[in-house]
């Protein structure tokens, strides 16, 4: 069991409250049983999360929609697990979905993990989405500076010169300036 699977198991054990379904979903090697848990009416969130995570990590695209919903959940730990499974899933729809979540101004409070996933994906959608999100978050008194910082760090990691103007705009920001300078240093000499 890898670290993300262990973390998911530990986190959901209490939520499952001793349900025998918990152990079955963790032990099964049957993708159809996992898919049934994902789509059957009346399943608790923890069961759907286990099923989506396990299917996603195994490359089964039936998990995609559930994982995207979990990526946008108010519980950051659910977002982390969903991002991990989406990265392993390698579904071509993932970058577009992560970009939509990251750039949605109504969901900025939940955008940290979509931003980090966009960086890890290195998809064509990644840089434009991170630029758009960061640009919006440079407004004075913006409370979502952690999301902005993830954008700055992601743009530095991706090293795309299109990010230069927004990274330069981030330099005077007290919580972003050092990271913006480091990110600018990672861009190609222009």
């Amino acid at each position: 069991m890898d670290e993300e699977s262990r973390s998911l198991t530990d986190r959901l054990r209490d939520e499952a409250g001793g349900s025998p379904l918990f152990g079955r979903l963790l032990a099964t090697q049957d993708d159809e049983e996992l898919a049934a848990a994902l789509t059957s009416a009346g399943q608790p969130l923890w069961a759907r999360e286990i099923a989506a995570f396990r299917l996603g990590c195994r490359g089964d695209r039936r998990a995609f929609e559930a994982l995207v919903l979990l990526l946008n959940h108010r519980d950051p730990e659910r977002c982390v697990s969903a991002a991990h499974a989406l990265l392993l899933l390698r579904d071509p729809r993932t970058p577009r979905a992560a970009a939509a979540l990251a750039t949605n101004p109504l969901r900025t409070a939940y955008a940290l993990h979509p931003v980090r996933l966009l960086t890890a994906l290195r998809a064509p959608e990644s840089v434009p989405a991170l630029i758009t999100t960061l640009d919006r978050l440079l407004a004075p008194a913006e409370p979502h500076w952690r999301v902005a910082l993830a954008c700055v760090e992601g743009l530095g990691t991706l090293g795309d010169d299109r990010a230069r103007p927004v990274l330069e705009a981030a330099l005077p920001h007290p919580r972003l300036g050092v990271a913006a300078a480091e990110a600018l240093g990672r861009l190609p000499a222009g």
Side-chain angles (χ1 to χ4, degrees), residues 102-187:
T103 58
N104 183 341
L106 301 176
R107 301 299 291 172
T108 303
Y110 308 108
L112 181 62
H113 297 288
V115 163
R116 289 180 176 161
L117 178 59
L118 282 167
T119 301
L121 290 169
R122 297 181 170 270
E125 295 87 346
S126 296
V127 170
L130 296 182
I131 289 172
T132 298
T133 303
L134 178 58
D135 188 52
R136 186 180 74 246
L137 297 177
L138 292 177
E142 171 58 51
H144 303 294
W145 65 270
R146 285 181 180 85
V147 176
L149 182 59
C151 289
V152 168
E153 292 169 346
L155 289 167
T157 298
L158 296 172
D160 189 308
D161 201 52
R162 293 176 291 172
R164 189 174 300 280
V166 76
L167 289 172
E168 288 173 347
L171 285 171
H173 193 289
R175 290 185 165 148
L176 305 177
V178 171
E182 289 174 8
L184 282 164
R186 298 177 81 178
L187 298 184

Side-chain angles (χ1 to χ4, degrees), residues 75-97:
D75 178 355
E77 292 176 327
R78 284 196 157 97
C79 300
V80 170
S81 295
H84 177 79
L86 281 165
L87 191 59
L88 295 176
L89 181 59
R90 300 191 190 285
D91 189 298
R93 300 170 291 177
T94 300
R96 189 172 52 246

